[in-house]
């Protein structure tokens, strides 16, 4: 009887243990891991099916599992720095535990991996974009005239602009995209705002941080870019408008400029048909900013 009680308690305890699976999401990373003899899989699709089976089994047992993006290059560097044998499966477990604490993860919620993998990759891109933008902001240093931290001031200004943009947006769900051009690449941040039951807007805090950081970087460095908002409400046309990011300020786009941007193929430059039920329009007035908002003393 005591033995049975111990088994029951252990089963209960197993359900209390959360787990993380480091996932090789693409064929290139999978091939890189095959150089380790202890990694016994030889087909990426078979590997993904087996991972999905494990996830379903854990969910059926009431066990919570998160998915992390497993990068073979980062794994090799981690093992070298920590003095671990990359051939040892325990080293992969330690690296995965590190990912669970510091890297991008998403919870397994029963959806197929074909749906979850893009979401995990998007989360990894979002975190990398935020980290890169905040690193560049922190390197800007103090204003040579007033001594204020340029990056922090730009982040505060970007936060205030985002609040104005959301407050002046038409009713409905909001979808915002901010892009900032510059070496070595263009940064793009996306923010979704969904209506709740009280007609408020639900925002993801991580998305807000990323979006605000990218916008702040464009403002602080006076890099070219743009910001577009799309509002979607029932029984009304979607409204699309935006601003050009120029010389550290947001300049409203005309309705014609928004139309051209949405109805031109980015790669070929050819015209494409406009979407039905979409109103391309000018943005609302956000109000004036102070002359010293971008440290032009």
């Amino acid at each position: 009887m005591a033995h049975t009680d111990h088994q029951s308690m252990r089963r209960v305890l197993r359900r209390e243990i959360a787990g993380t699976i480091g996932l090789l999401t693409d064929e290139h990373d999978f091939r890189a891991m095959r150089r380790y003899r202890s990694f016994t899989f030889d087909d990426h699709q078979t590997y993904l099916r087996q991972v999905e089976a494990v996830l379903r089994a854990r969910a059926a047992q009431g066990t919570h599992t998160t998915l992390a993006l497993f990068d073979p290059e980062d794994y090799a560097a981690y093992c070298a720095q920590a003095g671990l044998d990359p051939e040892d499966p325990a080293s992969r477990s330690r690296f995965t535990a590190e990912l669970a604490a510091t890297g991008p993860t998403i919870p397994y919620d029963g959806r197929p991996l074909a749906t979850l993998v893009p979401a995990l990759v998007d989360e990894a891109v979002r975190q990398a974009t935020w980290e890169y933008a905040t690193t560049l902001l922190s390197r800007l240093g103090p204003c040579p005239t007033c001594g204020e931290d340029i990056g922090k001031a730009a982040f505060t200004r970007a936060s205030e602009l985002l609040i104005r943009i959301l407050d002046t947006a038409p009713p409905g769900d909001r979808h915002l995209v901010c892009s900032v051009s510059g070496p070595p690449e263009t940064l793009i941040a996306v923010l979704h705002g969904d209506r709740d039951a009280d007609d408020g807007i639900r925002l993801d805090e991580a998305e807000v941080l990323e979006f605000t950081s990218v916008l702040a970087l464009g403002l602080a460095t006076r890099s070219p870019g743009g910001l577009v908002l799309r509002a979607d409400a029932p029984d009304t046309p979607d409204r699309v408008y935006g601003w050009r990011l120029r010389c550290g300020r947001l300049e409203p786009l005309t309705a014609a400029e928004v139309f051209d941007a949405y109805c031109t193929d980015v790669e070929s430059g050819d015209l494409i048909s406009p979407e039905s039920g979409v109103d391309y329009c000018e943005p609302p007035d956000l109000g004036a900013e102070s002359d010293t908002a971008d440290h032009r003393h």
Side-chain angles (χ1 to χ4, degrees):
M1 181 67 177
H3 178 67
T4 302
D5 288 343
H6 288 163
Q7 286 183 329
S8 299
M9 284 188 288
R10 286 169 188 158
R11 282 196 296 270
V12 171
L13 285 173
R14 287 192 191 101
R15 291 198 295 268
E16 300 290 331
I17 299 173
T20 302
I21 293 180
L23 188 64
L24 297 161
T25 58
D26 61 50
E27 189 75 37
H28 177 269
D29 287 346
F30 181 83
R31 287 198 303 269
M33 285 302 295
R34 290 195 62 202
R35 68 176 179 262
Y36 301 116
R37 293 187 305 275
S38 59
F39 184 78
T40 57
F41 289 97
D42 56 11
D43 178 76
H44 189 226
Q45 292 305 313
T46 300
Y47 159 82
L48 290 176
R49 285 195 295 270
Q50 293 299 320
V51 169
E52 192 155 20
V54 170
L55 290 169
R56 288 198 299 266
R58 288 175 59 84
Q61 296 167 358
T63 304
H64 176 77
T65 311
T66 57
L67 297 173
L69 199 64
F70 195 103
D71 186 298
E73 292 185 6
D74 290 346
Y75 172 63
Y78 172 82
C79 289
Q81 184 177 11
L84 300 175
D85 179 7
E87 279 285 3
D88 188 347
S91 299
R92 291 198 287 274
S93 296
R94 287 183 58 174
F95 177 67
T96 300
E98 186 78 12
L99 291 178
T102 62
T105 62
I106 59 172
Y108 176 68
D109 57 8
R111 288 180 293 169
L113 277 185
T115 302
L116 290 173
V117 165
L120 178 58
V121 173
D122 286 347
E123 178 66 15
V125 171
R126 182 205 60 73
Q127 181 166 318
T129 299
W130 171 72
E131 290 176 350
Y132 182 67
T134 53
T135 297
L136 293 183
L137 284 171
S138 67
R139 292 176 178 172
L140 294 176
C143 173
T145 302
C146 71
E148 185 175 16
D149 187 290
I150 295 175
K152 290 182 179 179
F155 189 89
T156 299
R157 183 176 164 221
S159 300
E160 294 171 351
L161 283 171
L162 178 58
I163 291 172
R164 293 190 209 175
I165 289 169
L166 292 172
D167 284 346
T168 57
D173 297 338
R174 290 91 184 264
H175 179 83
L176 295 87
V177 178
C178 180
S179 62
V180 173
S181 301
E185 58 185 312
T186 297
L187 294 182
I188 298 176
V190 177
L191 177 61
H192 301 89
D194 299 325
R195 290 170 300 170
D196 58 25
D198 299 322
D199 257 353
I201 295 294
R202 294 190 305 271
L203 298 171
D204 181 271
E205 291 185 11
E207 284 190 357
V208 171
L209 279 174
E210 179 205 10
F211 192 93
T212 307
S213 298
V214 170
L215 176 57
L217 184 64
L219 296 172
T221 60
R222 299 189 175 93
S223 300
L227 194 159
V228 175
L229 181 145
R230 180 169 184 151
D232 174 16
D235 304 321
T236 61
D238 287 4
R239 297 188 65 185
V240 178
Y241 54 78
W243 296 263
R244 180 185 295 106
L245 192 56
R246 176 185 289 174
C247 299
R249 292 186 180 276
L250 289 179
E251 299 179 354
L253 296 171
T254 66
E257 288 173 325
V258 177
F259 180 89
D260 289 343
Y262 266 77
C263 300
T264 303
D265 185 273
V266 176
E267 295 183 358
S268 67
D270 296 334
L271 294 177
I272 56 178
S273 300
E275 294 182 63
S276 60
V278 176
D279 183 11
Y280 304 97
C281 52
E282 294 185 11
D285 184 12
L286 299 180
E289 290 192 89
S290 67
D291 293 336
T292 59
D294 56 353
H295 285 91
R296 292 181 180 179
H297 297 294

